[in-house]
Amino acid sequence: AQSVTQLDSHVSVSEGTPVLLRCNYSSSYSPSLFWYVQHPNKGLQLLLKYTSAATLVKGINGFEAEFKKSETSFHLTKPSAHMSDAAEYFCVVSRNTGGFKTIFGAGTRLFVKA
Amino acid sequence: GAGVSQSPSNKVTEKGKDVELRCDPISGHTALYWYRQRLGQGLEFLIYFQGNSAPDKSGLPSDRFSAERTGESVSTLTIQRTQQEDSAVYLCASSRQGAPGNTIYFGEGSWLTVV
């Protein structure tokens, strides 16, 4: 079985400070991991993905995530938050079970204060 | 357009009525997915199509929900005898193949309100 847990439902940071959104996963097989962002009244947009290549993955808008197998984590980071980063972020794990299924985390709402 | 297209973007319906939600995936994408997102919740998997067949429909919440896909293209999600708990955003997504590691592209969603 596989699952994904986003450890914080809400994160609040000040503009210009670092962002850390935490994600832990559970998978019996080597997973593919993704981070998606959803701005208000918008569809989901892919930020970055990990598919067993480099463990440090760089995405759009200055975001990156590091796959740590020993910690079963895939935390999303950004060195300096911008007001436009305020959104909902979803950590996603997937594998082909023969009945394909993608598992989404519950989401983390990021607030950015001026 | 180049992205996943969904219609209607908004739908208000009376309890007990049937609704149909349409999804046009990106051309050439063989995999198509339906998800549901209730207010303040994460995404809930409903069904996955590979081509026109649905190898995984385990997420459909009840027999009031059904989906079909034709021509390896357009998909329709049908909800019969709608209930208030069906109110949610229904998101469609597609990917080039239904294998892990393939990026899933999402539509803007169909906002369904059952009154």
Side-chain angles (χ1 to χ4, degrees), chain B residues 41-110:
Chain B
Q41 304 292 316
L43 286 176
E44 177 186 3
F45 169 80
L46 296 179
I47 189 170
Y48 156 64
F49 285 94
Q50 180 59 45
N52 292 334
S53 64
D56 191 347
K57 53 179 75 172
S58 61
L60 294 176
S62 76
D63 59 8
R64 295 187 296 105
F65 286 73
S66 63
E68 65 175 15
R69 188 180 185 194
T70 56
E72 297 196 353
S73 180
V74 173
S75 175
T76 302
L77 177 68
T78 302
I79 309 172
Q80 296 178 308
R81 305 181 302 280
T82 52
Q83 303 294 314
Q84 288 186 329
E85 64 262 27
D86 299 334
S87 296
V89 176
Y90 290 82
L91 286 160
C92 177
S94 70
S95 66
R96 189 165 299 280
Q97 297 176 42
N102 282 283
T103 302
I104 302 175
Y105 296 87
F106 286 82
E108 295 287 315
S110 291

Side-chain angles (χ1 to χ4, degrees), chain A residues 55-81:
Chain A
T55 57
L56 182 62
V57 182
K58 293 187 183 296
I60 62 171
N61 301 336
F63 284 94
E64 63 182 37
E66 186 172 6
F67 173 72
K68 291 187 177 180
K69 187 175 181 179
S70 61
E71 299 175 11
T72 62
S73 69
F74 190 59
H75 300 334
L76 182 70
T77 60
K78 182 173 181 177
S80 176

